[in-house]
Amino acid sequence: MIRALCFAGALGGAVSLSQFPEFSQQYLQRLAGQVDALTLVVKEFDASALAEGLGREEALEQIAGSAFEERHQADMRAMFARHARLSDNLLALRDASPLSRLTLVHRMADGDTLAAVWADFTPAVPVSVAGAAAAGTGFLGGWAAMAAVLAAFTAPLRRARRSRPAPTARREPIVRPDPPVAKPTLVAETPGHVRRLSGVQR
């Protein structure tokens, strides 16, 4: 039973992880589109600030006064921070191979991009070396994960079984053998007597 559950977990891990190279490639494409769009906004803002003889931070400080302007300033700061973060992630993912991106999952954590990729993603049979390697990694990882879960689940049962006192050995009743029964013996015939069995009365 435990082996069957571990095999099921391993199979699920293999199937899931085999799709990672293709999913990461589509994420990379979407991420590049997001960075391109943000870069356009950043360049336009910096160009407008430069035309007024201002740097980016100075221009942001001037977006203040009303509640709308302060909200706009906060949105622009968040946009600049997101542009810097996604640009850094894009460079890291582009420099990595499809398989080595398994170690860069934290670089694929943008919610909007993930949602867009997942909405259009269609699982496919892995035919690349990276897909096969990812499937093997997923199989081993799924087996190990399921084994760890089962071990944690059954640990209390094993501890309770070990702490239970050992049953005392039952003493078998002593069976005494019956006393031997004397076998009748033949008595030789004598004159005037008939052969009879010894110990048998007439």
Side-chain angles (χ1 to χ4, degrees):
M1 181 64 178
I2 292 179
R3 283 190 176 182
L5 291 175
C6 288
F7 182 79
L11 193 60
V15 172
S16 300
L17 211 58
S18 67
Q19 303 300 314
F20 180 81
E22 179 60 27
F23 186 88
S24 66
Q25 184 63 33
Q26 294 187 24
Y27 181 92
L28 183 62
Q29 295 172 357
R30 291 271 186 172
L31 183 62
Q34 293 273 359
V35 171
D36 289 343
L38 291 173
T39 300
L40 182 61
V41 177
V42 169
K43 287 183 176 180
E44 288 179 351
F45 183 89
D46 289 343
S48 298
L50 186 61
E52 298 297 327
L54 301 173
R56 179 185 298 175
E57 187 60 33
E58 294 173 331
L60 287 172
E61 290 295 336
Q62 291 193 9
I63 306 176
S66 65
F68 174 78
E69 289 174 329
E70 290 179 357
R71 181 182 294 273
H72 182 54
Q73 182 193 77
D75 290 341
M76 293 300 296
R77 290 187 184 278
M79 187 272 298
F80 286 128
R82 184 165 185 258
H83 174 260
R85 184 178 66 255
L86 296 188
S87 297
D88 187 44
N89 290 341
L90 180 62
L91 290 176
L93 292 172
R94 275 178 172 170
D95 290 340
S97 65
L99 189 58
S100 62
R101 289 176 195 150
L102 283 169
T103 62
L104 298 175
V105 179
H106 60 286
R107 298 281 190 175
M108 301 172 58
D110 183 65
D112 294 339
T113 308
L114 278 174
V117 175
W118 183 254
D120 296 334
F121 182 74
T122 301
V125 178
V127 294
S128 63
V129 175
T137 303
F139 185 89
L140 296 177
W143 186 289
M146 183 60 70
V149 170
L150 293 175
F153 180 76
T154 58
L157 299 178
R158 292 197 302 269
R159 285 196 297 268
R161 192 174 300 171
R162 285 196 298 267
S163 61
R164 189 179 304 168
T168 57
R170 295 181 56 188
R171 297 183 61 184
E172 297 292 336
I174 299 176
V175 180
R176 299 183 180 278
D178 295 333
V181 180
K183 295 181 179 180
T185 57
L186 293 175
V187 179
E189 291 184 357
T190 56
H193 293 82
V194 180
R195 179 184 300 179
R196 60 185 178 85
L197 297 175
S198 175
V200 178
Q201 296 181 354
R202 290 192 174 185

